[in-house]
């Protein structure tokens, strides 16, 4: 028998290290050739590492969330023959964690605090037979009620087992369980848990920190009357043909962006601040911020300017599903020139979206609400939305940001203009 050392391979050009996000084996496991060993994540992709040989797992090197350099040992295997590591040093064995779905690591699970032993599990007291009503003066009973204490679980030291006020104090001081329920019976909570931020959650955190550190943000919010647009959307949905997707507001926003962005090439761009170069794009590769089990991901609609409303709705649904189930390709998750982020019906009054570096702009529709508005001499109810947006102030001046949003607002409030040549 010999020892085989499985080392971190070169997982991509320019990648010097990768993060361990899931072990699929543990010490003592017998594995076959090509069996999954570990998932690692780089800045570019999540990679499933498989074993080139069959054998028995002797030891694992590295914990979940640890960065390991290319060439470092990940797994030690006992194999038939000489192997490749006869002189391997002693190692620390690490227990394996549960596997995750490929390309979409599950977020860490928060461990529940240990349960407090319920009062009902406590033994009966020598001074009180089971089912016997505890003895206490009215004042003591009133104080117990205010403290949220069930008297049947309080030892009584008074005559005949009577519970005194001092017994209540002693019960609280020694950590006696308080009765559940009841108005005014509030109890302090203790305990908690530490959650290590690893995998996709850490990548998202690093991306957000980089964006805020490198980009001086300017946020602009405008109020839009979407009554006509919402009426058009409802009519198109009511008369859609079989098999056609249902339209949300997002396809209309994207079509409006496709009309406005050619007039503002500095907005549909990516800024290489290290090289000092702004890469302006004629094509609109639109990032769609999507909430997934792994966190916030941004799949990209390629050439959004070339898609009509129905095609955009289909592409939004397809990419969102791919991001959530982890099947999105690397190309589908990169290369955006501008991003749109929306919480839909959960959206609030306004937001301050963070620009997705190295892009220079992000648009954030908020919740659509009915509000009374003044039109001429009348007050009428209209469907209103606050449109939030953020820009890289190094590239987009405040005046240009306002002008861009105002032109977008004009199209959204008069949706016929979106479709005019």
């Amino acid at each position: 028998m010999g020892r085989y050392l499985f080392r971190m391979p070169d997982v991509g050009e320019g990648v010097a290290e990768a993060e361990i996000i899931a072990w699929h084996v543990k010490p003592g496991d017998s594995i076959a050739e090509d069996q999954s060993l570990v998932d690692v994540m780089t800045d570019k992709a999540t990679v499933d590492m498989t074993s080139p040989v069959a054998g028995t797992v002797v030891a694992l090197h590295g914990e979940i969330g640890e960065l390991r350099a290319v060439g470092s040992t990940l797994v030690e295997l006992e194999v038939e023959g000489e192997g490749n590591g006869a002189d391997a040093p002693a190692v620390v064995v690490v227990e394996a964690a549960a596997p995750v779905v490929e390309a979409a690591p599950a977020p860490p699970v928060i461990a529940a605090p240990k349960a407090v032993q319920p009062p009902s599990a406590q033994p009966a007291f020598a001074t009180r037979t089971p089912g016997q009503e505890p003895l206490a003066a009215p004042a003591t009973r009133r104080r117990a009620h205010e403290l949220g204490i069930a008297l049947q679980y309080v030892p009584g030291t008074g005559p005949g087992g009577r519970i005194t006020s001092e017994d209540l104090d002693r019960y609280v001081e020694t950590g006696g369980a308080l009765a559940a329920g009841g108005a005014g019976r509030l109890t302090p909570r203790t305990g908690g848990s530490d959650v290590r931020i690893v995998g996709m959650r850490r990548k998202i955190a690093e991306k957000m920190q980089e964006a805020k550190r490198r980009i001086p943000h300017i946020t602009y919010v405008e109020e839009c009357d979407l009554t006509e647009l919402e009426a058009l959307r409802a009519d198109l949905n009511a008369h859609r043909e079989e098999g056609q997707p249902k339209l949300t507001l997002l396809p209309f926003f994207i079509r409006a962006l496709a009309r406005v962005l050619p007039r503002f090439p500095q907005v549909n761009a990516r800024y290489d601040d290290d090289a000092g170069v702004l890469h302006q794009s004629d094509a609109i590769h639109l990032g769609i911020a999507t909430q997934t089990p792994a966190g916030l991901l941004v799949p990209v609609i390629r050439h959004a300017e070339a898609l009509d409303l129905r095609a955009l709705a289909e592409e939004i649904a397809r990419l969102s599903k791919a991001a959530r189930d982890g099947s999105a390709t690397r190309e589908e998750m990169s290369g955006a020139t501008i991003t749109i982020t929306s919480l839909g019906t959960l959206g609030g009054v306004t937001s301050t979206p963070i620009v997705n570096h190295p892009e220079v702009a992000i648009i954030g529709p908020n919740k659509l609400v009915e509000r009374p508005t003044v039109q001429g001499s009348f007050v009428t109810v209209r469907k209103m939305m606050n449109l939030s947006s953020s820009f890289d102030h190094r590239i987009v001046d405040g005046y240009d940001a306002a002008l861009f949003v105002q032109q977008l607002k004009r199209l959204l409030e008069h949706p016929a203009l979106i479709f005019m040549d």
Side-chain angles (χ1 to χ4, degrees):
M1 302 292 287
R3 186 66 59 90
Y4 184 91
L5 303 183
F6 176 79
R7 304 179 187 275
M8 176 78 75
D10 186 352
V11 291
E13 182 179 354
V15 176
E17 60 184 9
E19 178 186 350
I20 298 172
I21 59 173
W23 286 108
H24 297 307
V25 295
K26 62 182 181 299
D29 285 355
S30 295
I31 63 169
E33 186 177 346
D34 293 328
Q35 182 173 331
S36 292
L37 296 175
V38 60
D39 287 344
V40 299
M41 176 181 287
T42 70
D43 290 336
K44 299 179 173 62
T46 297
V47 183
D48 177 21
M49 299 290 182
T50 59
S51 176
V53 298
T56 301
V57 178
V58 175
L60 307 180
H61 293 255
E63 299 180 350
I64 301 296
E66 183 177 341
L67 294 172
R68 301 288 291 178
V70 170
S72 62
T73 301
L74 291 177
V75 184
E76 287 193 44
L77 299 167
E78 189 176 75
V79 297
E80 296 288 344
E82 296 184 358
N84 68 350
D87 299 324
V91 297
V92 176
V93 176
V94 180
E95 289 297 329
V100 296
V101 178
E102 182 177 354
V109 177
I110 301 177
K114 293 183 178 180
V116 177
Q117 186 72 9
S120 58
Q122 297 182 8
F125 302 108
T127 57
R128 194 177 310 139
T129 59
Q132 180 184 1
E133 181 72 17
L135 300 177
T140 303
R141 292 182 181 276
R142 186 183 312 110
R143 184 160 179 258
H145 178 77
E146 293 172 351
L147 291 173
I149 296 175
L151 287 177
Q152 63 264 38
Y153 305 115
V154 180
T157 61
R162 183 180 296 274
I163 300 171
T164 66
S165 182
E166 290 75 16
D167 293 331
L168 294 181
D169 293 337
R170 191 159 37 250
Y171 183 75
V172 172
E173 291 170 1
T174 56
L178 301 183
R185 298 181 180 181
L186 304 179
T187 61
R189 295 187 181 128
T190 59
S193 59
D194 295 326
V195 180
R196 190 173 184 187
I197 303 301
V198 299
M200 185 61 70
R201 186 75 262 169
R202 183 160 77 179
K203 294 297 181 186
I204 293 171
E206 292 171 351
K207 185 77 172 178
M208 292 298 100
Q209 184 177 19
E210 180 184 28
K212 291 297 287 184
R213 180 178 61 85
R214 304 186 76 156
I215 298 176
H217 283 62
I218 176 176
T219 296
Y220 183 86
V221 183
E222 182 57 89
E223 183 180 63
C224 300
D225 184 344
L226 301 188
T227 306
E228 293 182 18
L229 179 59
E230 183 63 6
L232 174 61
R233 185 187 73 86
D235 184 75
L236 289 174
N237 282 335
H239 296 88
R240 63 193 172 107
E241 298 179 4
E242 185 177 354
Q244 287 185 325
K246 193 172 183 179
L247 296 174
T248 65
L249 285 173
L250 280 184
F252 295 93
F253 275 84
I254 297 171
R255 288 305 311 156
L257 281 171
R259 296 298 301 269
V260 173
L261 282 173
R263 306 172 206 166
F264 298 86
Q266 76 275 30
V267 174
N268 188 47
R270 296 166 66 90
Y271 181 39
D272 184 345
D273 42 5
D274 292 328
V277 177
L278 181 69
H279 301 285
Q280 299 180 148
S281 175
D282 293 332
I284 300 175
H285 301 317
L286 187 76
I288 302 291
T290 304
Q291 190 63 40
T292 76
L296 188 66
L297 302 180
V298 187
V300 180
I301 300 176
R302 319 295 294 192
H303 292 285
E305 77 281 0
L307 302 177
D308 62 20
L309 290 176
R310 301 290 184 188
L312 284 169
E314 291 175 347
E315 192 68 353
I316 291 170
R318 185 189 70 82
L319 286 172
S320 298
K321 181 179 182 298
R324 292 188 182 102
D325 63 25
S327 64
T329 65
R330 178 178 173 183
E331 183 180 16
E332 291 172 335
M333 297 297 296
S334 61
T337 56
I338 187 171
T339 290
I340 189 167
T341 177
S342 172
L343 289 175
T345 57
L346 291 177
V349 175
T350 187
S351 59
T352 55
I354 298 176
V355 176
N356 188 22
H357 181 269
E359 300 161 40
V360 299
I362 185 169
I363 307 299
N366 295 289
K367 184 188 298 185
L368 185 68
V369 296
E370 290 187 338
R371 287 206 306 268
T373 59
V374 177
Q375 290 192 325
S377 302
F378 301 94
V379 175
T380 184
V381 174
R382 306 289 289 179
K383 294 184 177 180
M384 309 296 293
M385 174 188 286
N386 289 338
L387 182 63
S388 301
S389 56
S390 293
F391 303 87
D392 185 336
H393 213 345
R394 298 172 299 178
I395 303 300
V396 183
D397 295 332
Y399 177 84
D400 291 331
L403 188 60
F404 168 75
V405 174
Q406 289 295 331
Q407 294 198 18
L408 184 61
K409 167 188 168 77
R410 177 171 175 261
L411 295 183
L412 295 174
E413 293 191 334
H414 306 283
L417 297 177
I418 297 175
F419 307 101
M420 291 182 62
D421 294 331

